[in-house]
């Protein structure tokens, strides 16, 4: 399980250090793809396989399903860790997530999200005051 918030800089070559606390759960490589709300999503191999299986179980005859699967998988990238615990995020994904320098790495249970610091700060500020209301709405799911 991934949790926590970490701040790291991405270098000009697209290398981003993944915190050891998270990296130790990942194995030799991870899969990075487009996430929701303007972030990138990082999955372990097992997590990616489970996510891909979920995608394939969606109704393929629906146009929105086909579009979503294409958007997620077309730019997905397998990334290996270097000796310093960094992954090299391809340019197309860095552009997708607006990653330029300061990044926030957020554990969200079954995967990790990579945000530009400005986007994360905006997202958090926009939503933090709604925590109790969101929690109450989720109560119907018996958390």
């Amino acid at each position: 399980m991934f949790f926590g918030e970490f701040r790291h800089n991405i270098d000009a070559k697209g290398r981003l250090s993944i915190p050891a606390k998270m990296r130790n759960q990942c194995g030799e490589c991870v899969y990075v793809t487009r996430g929701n709300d303007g972030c990138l999503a990082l999955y372990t191999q097992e997590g990616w396989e489970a996510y891909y299986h979920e995608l394939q179980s969606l109704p393929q005859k629906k146009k929105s399903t086909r579009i979503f699967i294409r958007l997620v998988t077309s730019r997905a990238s397998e990334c290996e860790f270097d000796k310093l615990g960094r992954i090299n995020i391809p340019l197309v994904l860095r552009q997708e997530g607006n990653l330029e320098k300061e990044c926030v790495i957020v554990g969200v249970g079954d995967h990790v999200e990579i945000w530009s610091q400005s986007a994360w700060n905006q997202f958090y500020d926009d939503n933090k005051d709604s925590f109790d209301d969101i929690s109450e709405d989720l109560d119907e799911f018996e958390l």
Side-chain angles (χ1 to χ4, degrees):
M1 175 177 24
F2 297 104
F3 60 91
E5 177 183 316
F6 305 88
R7 295 174 186 266
H8 290 276
N9 289 338
I10 192 167
D11 69 16
K13 294 181 180 178
R15 297 175 298 196
L16 178 66
S17 180
I18 302 301
K21 185 177 187 177
M22 293 176 169
R23 191 172 61 243
N24 292 338
Q25 300 179 59
C26 291
E28 295 180 17
C29 70
V30 291
Y31 294 81
V32 180
T33 191
R34 179 182 189 152
N36 292 317
D37 304 314
C39 71
L40 299 181
L42 179 150
Y43 293 92
T44 64
Q45 181 169 349
E46 296 80 18
W48 175 251
E49 289 171 2
Y51 183 56
Y52 184 77
H53 181 72
E54 286 180 33
L55 292 175
Q56 293 304 304
S57 69
L58 295 172
Q60 300 289 317
K61 291 184 180 185
K62 287 188 71 173
K63 186 174 183 175
S64 60
T65 297
R66 295 191 307 274
I67 292 170
F68 184 78
I69 291 171
R70 287 178 189 133
L71 291 173
V72 168
T73 60
S74 64
R75 295 192 173 169
S77 181
E78 181 179 357
C79 300
E80 295 183 1
F81 289 99
D82 68 12
K83 294 176 185 177
L84 300 176
R86 301 174 300 187
I87 57 170
N88 190 343
I89 300 174
L91 177 61
V92 69
L93 284 172
R94 292 194 316 262
Q95 291 170 336
E96 193 76 48
N98 295 311
L99 304 180
E100 293 179 6
K101 184 169 180 170
E102 298 169 326
C103 297
V104 182
I105 302 163
V106 180
V108 289
D110 67 340
H111 69 284
V112 173
E113 293 180 343
I114 302 169
W115 293 77
S116 72
Q117 182 172 299
S118 61
W120 172 253
N121 290 344
Q122 185 68 54
F123 173 84
Y124 195 86
D125 288 344
D126 287 350
N127 293 285
K128 67 182 179 182
D129 293 335
S130 301
F131 181 81
D132 290 335
D133 293 333
I134 294 168
S135 176
E136 188 175 310
D137 289 344
L138 293 176
D139 193 41
E140 69 185 68
F141 297 106
E142 298 183 27
L143 294 178

